[in-house]
Amino acid sequence: MKIKEIPVSIFHTLKLLSLSATKLRLNEKKEVPVIVSLTSIPSRLGLVHLVIRSLMDQEVRPKKIVLWLNKTLKDSIPKKLGKLEGDLFEIRFSALECSHRKLIHSLDAFPSEIIITCDDDLIYRRNWLRLLFEAHQDHPNRILANQTRYISYDQQGKLLPYKQWIYHGGTPFNADAVLPVGAGGVLYPPGTLLDKTGDIDLFLALAPKADDLWFKAMSYLKGTTSSNAGNAPKKPIPIMGSQVQSLKKQNVDQDKNRSTWEAVSAHFEIDLSRQTGL
């Protein structure tokens, strides 16, 4: 967390904690037909209630918010989290330990619903859900994300480091190379991912710590277009103390995302470099 983010994080944390859990559970705001789905890890279990509070306090309410946790945590739910459970928010359990559970289980549980995934270490702005759903109404068949990357190759067709996955003007734009990034929230309309998305053995072999890349491959193979929502609110607010353990340190700082995409694209024979005019 950057120093300048600390006061903002403290302010919004205190603001969320001042909200009555009862009022949050009995949210009577206009409902939009989406399921918000996320997961968390033991090191964030004491803080994830802040994320849930921010999701329950949106300008509009989703049909349901589901937090998927590993089954070993059933008897370790903090009171601050448990007291938020009700018709709007529920905790479900999984045998998996990987981040993919934030989506794959909800795909099975709610096959005909729009599912929006988000991260467990951020406070989401109150207009986050409304804006993302409005973008969906304009592009109902696309996977939409508030944050995206652009899978990029050099002139010889070699995959560039993840930090360079940014589109540069002056070269042909390849819509297939747009990568939704989970942190800002990703909206998945029903039927936009390959049935193989829930193949646990395969994604643990190819992309065990990079769910964004796995879901990207599954949408590409399904023929689904992904794009930036284009109307993102202010960036979500980092939660103090939530980054003790983070996949970003491996996937981004150690460039594991590049090697993971090489493995995934090789397995499925995905060659995005051929479609960029390189």
Side-chain angles (χ1 to χ4, degrees):
M1 174 181 283
K2 299 176 182 177
I3 293 177
K4 66 180 181 180
E5 293 175 327
I6 294 176
V8 179
S9 180
I10 293 173
F11 172 79
H12 284 276
T13 294
L14 293 175
K15 186 176 179 180
L16 286 172
L17 290 175
S18 71
L19 301 175
S20 161
T22 301
K23 287 185 178 180
L24 288 172
R25 290 197 306 269
L26 299 176
N27 187 323
E28 295 182 354
K29 296 172 185 173
K30 176 184 176 182
E31 182 177 284
V32 292
V34 305
I35 306 295
V36 177
S37 184
L38 67 160
T39 188
S40 194
I41 54 179
S43 64
R44 294 177 182 166
L45 200 58
L47 296 172
V48 73
H49 69 98
L50 294 171
V51 187
I52 302 302
R53 281 177 170 268
S54 76
L55 297 174
M56 297 175 78
D57 189 44
Q58 292 288 303
E59 292 176 350
V60 294
R61 61 169 280 163
K63 294 176 74 171
K64 189 171 286 294
I65 301 165
V66 184
L67 173 64
W68 294 95
L69 298 176
N70 185 268
K71 62 182 181 180
T72 59
L73 299 176
K74 275 188 178 181
D75 299 323
S76 305
I77 304 302
K79 289 183 179 179
K80 288 182 178 180
L81 180 61
K83 71 180 182 180
L84 297 174
E85 284 196 272
D87 291 338
L88 178 57
F89 166 62
E90 66 176 281
I91 301 171
R92 297 192 183 189
F93 296 92
S94 163
L96 296 179
E97 296 182 357
C98 57
S99 56
H100 305 65
R101 66 190 170 197
K102 71 182 179 185
L103 179 58
I104 63 167
H105 297 315
S106 286
L107 289 174
D108 287 338
F110 311 100
S112 18
E113 302 284 359
I114 300 165
I115 298 172
I116 297 179
T117 61
C118 61
D119 277 7
D120 65 332
D121 57 349
L122 298 167
I123 293 170
Y124 289 87
R125 308 284 182 170
R126 294 188 72 246
N127 58 351
W128 171 79
L129 179 57
R130 175 178 61 80
L131 291 175
L132 199 46
F133 184 70
E134 286 176 358
H136 163 71
Q137 291 177 302
D138 291 334
H139 304 285
N141 299 314
R142 293 185 187 180
I143 293 172
L144 299 172
N146 284 322
Q147 296 179 32
T148 55
R149 289 270 184 169
Y150 186 78
I151 302 172
S152 303
Y153 299 79
D154 64 19
Q155 292 298 319
Q156 287 71 48
K158 182 179 179 181
L159 187 65
L160 292 171
Y162 180 77
K163 290 183 178 180
Q164 295 180 41
W165 288 11
I166 301 169
Y167 176 70
H168 297 285
T171 59
F173 180 79
N174 175 18
D176 288 334
V178 175
L179 170 67
V181 176
V186 184
L187 183 150
Y188 297 89
T192 51
L193 295 169
L194 207 65
D195 291 342
K196 195 182 288 289
T197 300
D199 188 329
I200 297 172
D201 291 337
L202 190 55
F203 68 63
L204 287 180
L206 295 174
K209 296 183 178 181
D211 55 283
D212 285 349
L213 298 179
W214 175 253
F215 299 141
K216 170 60 186 178
M218 295 297 98
S219 64
Y220 171 80
L221 294 170
K222 183 70 175 182
T224 303
T225 298
S226 298
S227 65
N228 193 287
N231 64 344
K234 289 183 179 180
K235 288 185 178 180
I237 301 151
I239 297 172
M240 288 183 62
S242 63
Q243 289 299 311
V244 175
Q245 183 177 344
S246 172
L247 288 176
K248 179 178 181 294
K249 296 175 182 178
Q250 295 181 43
N251 289 342
V252 179
D253 297 339
Q254 298 177 28
D255 205 22
K256 292 293 181 66
N257 274 337
R258 173 164 58 164
S259 58
T260 298
W261 183 249
E262 287 175 333
V264 171
S265 56
H267 179 86
F268 291 110
E269 298 182 345
I270 298 172
D271 188 358
L272 297 182
S273 69
R274 294 185 305 178
Q275 301 174 42
T276 60
L278 297 176

